[in-house]
Amino acid sequence: MPNTVLVGAQWGDEGKGKVIDVLTAQADVIVRFQGGSNAGHTVVAEGKKYVLHLIPSGILHEGKICVIGNGVVMDPFDLLHEIETLQGQGIATEGRILISDRTHMVMRWHRALDQADEARRPEGKKIGTTGRGIGPAYAAKVGRTGMRAGDLLKPDFLTLVRDQTEAANERLAAWGAPTLDAEEMVRIYGDLAKRLGPYVADTVRYVNEADRAGKSLLLEGAQGTMLDIDFGTYPFVTSSNPTAGGACTGSGLSPRRIDRVVGVLKCYTTRVGAGPFPTELDDADGEMLRQRGGEFGATTGRPRRCGWFDAVVARYSAMINGFDFWAMTKLDVLDELKTIKICVAYERDDGVRYETFPADLDVLKLCHPVYEEMPGWMEPTSQVTRYEDLPLKARAYVERLVELTGVRLGILSVGPARETTLRLGL
Ligand code: IMP
């Protein structure tokens, strides 16, 4: 398989896990390149359920090597828990999970700071984070006070743990939040360093050597384009770059070694947490999408906000990521709708039209979505195994999305099972 980058095209939760599972079969090395345990997906393989937040689901495929790239922020306790759970389920992890020595760690105080910061923000200013410490860990990284996985093996690691706990406690106390016991931190991190140390490696070298040796790389993003710190609905975003560019900075692979970029696109739109969502539905159609689509957060269990497909978002996302193919998901969720709306542009009351996503959220507040309507197919699609066998109206809908976004279709998913993935050139 050509070296492939796979990213979410909307606000995350596009169903990347299933597409990754399909593409992993053709890859040798799978690299997660950003985010942390704010992401999450459940994979059912041979009747067993696996919940993964940090480790690529490639671990469930025999012989594949999984890399936690340098762009990830890794909570070592979460990772260890995932490794031990997998081992308990009979999955071999030795030599198959490599943590970049450059990967920054989400420490206990980052989590405490994330939760305390959310709690103190007034209504309207809350981000609705997952509370997993992502923002503070990335802030420490760019503030040059972060701790990397490579530090686990250094003699002054526990001194740093003590110093940083005390520094974080000052901020927590100032915010009126509970503080952490520095000695307890030293004890738990001391134990952890011994257990996780063996997984730490120079993955930048590993990834490049694998590439030179002709191995196929799959670089997987978490979250989605509209949650990107640079290109998303700032400040209602995550703290990393889930877009294609992040695949290089988060793995150490040169852009020249990437052969193709795949965008995962849900056939409608969802978002978890706060922030603008132009096509959000507050009515029975929105509730139907939530229930039929099982739209509840994998990490926090929060109900997802649901709405119509937004071609402005999809076009913007295609532009930033340069998608070669769409992997469209969850078409079957729309099976029972009589009429389906597609947002083709945003328009201000004074007639100004936006075809691409504006940076200024105040502009968005003045806009309303411009919809076109298509007839629903009102037939089940989950049994269909060939694109040509889809109801004509379902094909017309998919083809309209392709036309509006200018990206060809590579995969179409019409249900949760592996067999419901229609392959069209990917
Ligand atoms: P954080 O990444 O926990 O800081 O949360 C920032 C924003 O990103 C919040 O709106 C979260 O709901 C959202 N978010 C984080 N991870 C995911 C994900 O995996 N899927 C969807 N939304 C996410």
Side-chain angles (χ1 to χ4, degrees), residues 42 60 66 73 87 105 109 117 126 132 156 160 203 209 213 221 289 301 343 356 361 379 383 395 406 416 419:
T42 306
L60 306 175
C66 294
V73 285
Q87 287 169 343
M105 292 190 286
W109 50 92
D117 184 37
K126 291 189 193 296
R132 299 294 174 106
D156 62 347
L160 276 174
T203 64
E209 281 176 3
L289 293 173
C343 167
T356 183
L361 301 189
E379 283 178 58
Q383 310 306 321
R395 282 173 57 176
E419 312 73 65

Side-chain angles (χ1 to χ4, degrees), residues 11-13 38-40 114 127-132 134-135 223 227 237-238 271-274 302:
W11 276 281
D13 308 312
N38 47 352
D114 186 6
I127 310 287
T129 73
T130 58
R132 299 294 174 106
I134 305 304
Q223 290 88 43
L227 288 172
V237 290
T238 192
R271 154 159 227 179
V272 212
R302 291 179 287 180

Side-chain angles (χ1 to χ4, degrees), residues 281-292:
L281 289 168
D282 255 334
D283 58 6
D285 284 336
E287 191 51 35
M288 186 285 295
L289 293 173
R290 180 153 39 252
Q291 294 305 330
R292 266 187 73 92

